[in-house]
Amino acid sequence: MSSEKTSMPEGYVVPAVWEFKEQEGKFGGMNKPTSGARKEKALPKGEFPIQLYSLGTPNGIKCTMLLEELVDMKGIEYDAHKIDIFDLDQFSTGFCQVNPNSKIPAMYDYDYSPAVRVFESCSILKYIAEKYNAFIPKDHALKTECYNWLFFQHGTGPYIGNFGHFYKYAPINIEYGINRFTMEVKRELDVLDKHLADKVWICGDEYSIADMAIWPWIYCIKHFYKAQQFVQLDSYINLMAWYKRVEDRPATARGLRVNGFGDNALPNVYGSVTKMDATATSA
């Protein structure tokens, strides 16, 4: 490393070999450089083929938006179980079996024996959409475009997450980290804004899993990071018009409640949000 670089904290010298130290901050304390289970706990299992294990973060919201759209379109039922990452449920023996990387969301499909496990949120979107033959365009070129934008989100989402870390969750404000990831996020927003200049949905006239993959991260910037003013979110006119169209879909509102946060959140869902609400009303 160059001896001319300054360090933060002052006096820090990059060692020849990195050694683990407990991190500070809201999320830092849960991280370690090793994988695997830290506690014994089995995953719950409901009665329907799709068993989702998740939390109402952007990656979890993607999947519950799709499931609730399929409730409307095809009448499917599913179970969604809350994984409390602050209680380190993602490091339980049961969860590590469905996702060895210990990241939500993950799912089993019990239409198969043994059950098929699926992890990584975009993999889940693709799997469920293909299973139910919905929200992926049939036209070859449009299907390819849908996957282009699905994996665009898969690649760019971590930059938004890192922006959120340095902007909101890091225990200290680091100008370099905030500037580095703000610049990248604004570039991504500009890519989307220009792409949506003449489109209703990401893939044109057809709502797809590409929309569902991207939308929760814009929601996150606005509501979780509360950085709408900081990144001038409203200046992206085409993007925010699209954002409102997705927001106005009934399945989006319901998907936000699944394993979510807030007064109307449902920690666990058995069947669908509508079914849960009907049960609560009749109780």
Side-chain angles (χ1 to χ4, degrees), residues 64-66 68-70 72-73 135 200-201 205-209 211-212 215 242-256:
T64 53
M65 285 172 64
L66 173 57
E68 285 295 321
E69 289 283 356
L70 289 166
D72 289 345
M73 177 183 282
F135 298 109
V200 177
W201 307 113
D205 295 331
E206 189 172 346
Y207 188 61
S208 73
I209 56 173
D211 298 280
M212 299 178 217
W215 187 87
W242 164 85
Y243 176 90
K244 184 66 166 58
R245 288 192 290 273
V246 179
E247 183 180 47
D248 287 345
R249 296 178 72 91
T252 299
R254 298 197 308 270
L256 286 168

Side-chain angles (χ1 to χ4, degrees), residues 189-237:
L189 296 174
D190 192 54
V191 168
L192 290 165
D193 191 61
K194 288 174 178 173
H195 175 70
L196 287 161
D198 59 352
K199 296 176 180 65
V200 177
W201 307 113
I202 292 294
C203 293
D205 295 331
E206 189 172 346
Y207 188 61
S208 73
I209 56 173
D211 298 280
M212 299 178 217
I214 294 167
W215 187 87
W217 281 101
I218 311 303
Y219 176 89
C220 178
I221 292 171
K222 183 175 181 179
H223 292 284
F224 292 169
Y225 303 156
K226 302 196 183 302
Q228 182 171 355
Q229 179 180 353
F230 183 73
V231 301
Q232 298 173 295
L233 198 56
D234 291 338
S235 69
Y236 301 97
I237 304 300

Side-chain angles (χ1 to χ4, degrees), residues 50-69:
I50 299 296
Q51 297 292 306
L52 181 71
Y53 303 94
S54 190
L55 187 65
T57 64
N59 286 332
I61 293 167
K62 297 176 193 176
C63 302
T64 53
M65 285 172 64
L66 173 57
L67 288 168
E68 285 295 321
E69 289 283 356

Side-chain angles (χ1 to χ4, degrees), residues 14 38-39 50 58 72 86 124 143 163 173 195 202 219:
V14 179
R38 303 182 196 173
K39 65 179 184 179
I50 299 296
D72 289 345
F86 299 105
I124 292 173
K143 177 191 288 187
F163 161 74
N173 288 327
H195 175 70
I202 292 294
Y219 176 89

Side-chain angles (χ1 to χ4, degrees), residues 37 39-43 53 89-99 108:
K39 65 179 184 179
E40 291 283 338
K41 185 177 180 181
L43 290 177
Y53 303 94
D89 285 348
Q90 71 274 34
F91 297 109
S92 68
T93 48
F95 193 84
C96 287
Q97 288 175 350
V98 70
N99 185 358
Y108 282 117

Side-chain angles (χ1 to χ4, degrees), residues 14-269:
V14 179
V17 177
W18 181 83
E19 294 183 3
F20 172 68
K21 295 180 181 179
E22 290 286 346
Q23 295 181 311
E24 300 176 15
K26 186 174 183 179
F27 295 101
M30 68 176 64
N31 294 321
K32 291 184 178 181
T34 54
S35 64
R38 303 182 196 173
K39 65 179 184 179
E40 291 283 338
K41 185 177 180 181
L43 290 177
K45 180 180 178 296
E47 63 176 300
F48 302 109
I50 299 296
Q51 297 292 306
L52 181 71
Y53 303 94
S54 190
L55 187 65
T57 64
N59 286 332
I61 293 167
K62 297 176 193 176
C63 302
T64 53
M65 285 172 64
L66 173 57
L67 288 168
E68 285 295 321
E69 289 283 356
L70 289 166
V71 170
D72 289 345
M73 177 183 282
K74 305 236 178 189
I76 75 157
E77 294 186 287
Y78 68 94
D79 294 310
H81 310 277
K82 181 179 179 180
I83 298 297
D84 188 342
I85 63 173
F86 299 105
D87 198 35
L88 304 185
D89 285 348
Q90 71 274 34
F91 297 109
S92 68
T93 48
F95 193 84
C96 287
Q97 288 175 350
V98 70
N99 185 358
N101 195 35
S102 295
K103 302 290 185 183
I104 61 96
M107 60 161 274
Y108 282 117
D109 182 354
Y110 282 93
D111 269 340
Y112 299 88
S113 183
V116 174
R117 76 176 183 182
V118 193
F119 57 88
E120 291 294 334
S121 58
C122 288
S123 179
I124 292 173
L125 287 180
K126 185 173 181 290
Y127 181 92
I128 294 175
E130 289 177 346
K131 176 182 176 71
Y132 292 105
N133 193 28
F135 298 109
I136 297 175
K138 303 297 188 294
D139 176 81
H140 176 72
L142 288 176
K143 177 191 288 187
T144 303
E145 185 72 354
C146 176
Y147 291 154
N148 288 341
W149 289 101
L150 179 68
F151 291 104
F152 163 87
Q153 192 288 311
H154 184 76
T156 57
Y159 286 97
I160 300 178
N162 278 307
F163 161 74
H165 173 78
F166 284 104
Y167 178 74
K168 182 170 183 180
Y169 300 119
I172 58 173
N173 288 327
I174 302 173
E175 182 182 11
Y176 174 80
I178 292 172
N179 287 345
R180 168 71 178 88
F181 290 106
T182 301
M183 179 178 64
E184 183 63 21
V185 166
K186 287 183 69 66
R187 187 192 64 79
E188 294 169 19
L189 296 174
D190 192 54
V191 168
L192 290 165
D193 191 61
K194 288 174 178 173
H195 175 70
L196 287 161
D198 59 352
K199 296 176 180 65
V200 177
W201 307 113
I202 292 294
C203 293
D205 295 331
E206 189 172 346
Y207 188 61
S208 73
I209 56 173
D211 298 280
M212 299 178 217
I214 294 167
W215 187 87
W217 281 101
I218 311 303
Y219 176 89
C220 178
I221 292 171
K222 183 175 181 179
H223 292 284
F224 292 169
Y225 303 156
K226 302 196 183 302
Q228 182 171 355
Q229 179 180 353
F230 183 73
V231 301
Q232 298 173 295
L233 198 56
D234 291 338
S235 69
Y236 301 97
I237 304 300
N238 305 315
L239 174 64
M240 295 313 291
W242 164 85
Y243 176 90
K244 184 66 166 58
R245 288 192 290 273
V246 179
E247 183 180 47
D248 287 345
R249 296 178 72 91
T252 299
R254 298 197 308 270
L256 286 168
R257 295 174 60 195
V258 181
N259 311 136
F261 307 95
D263 294 338
N264 70 341
L266 296 169
N268 302 293
V269 167

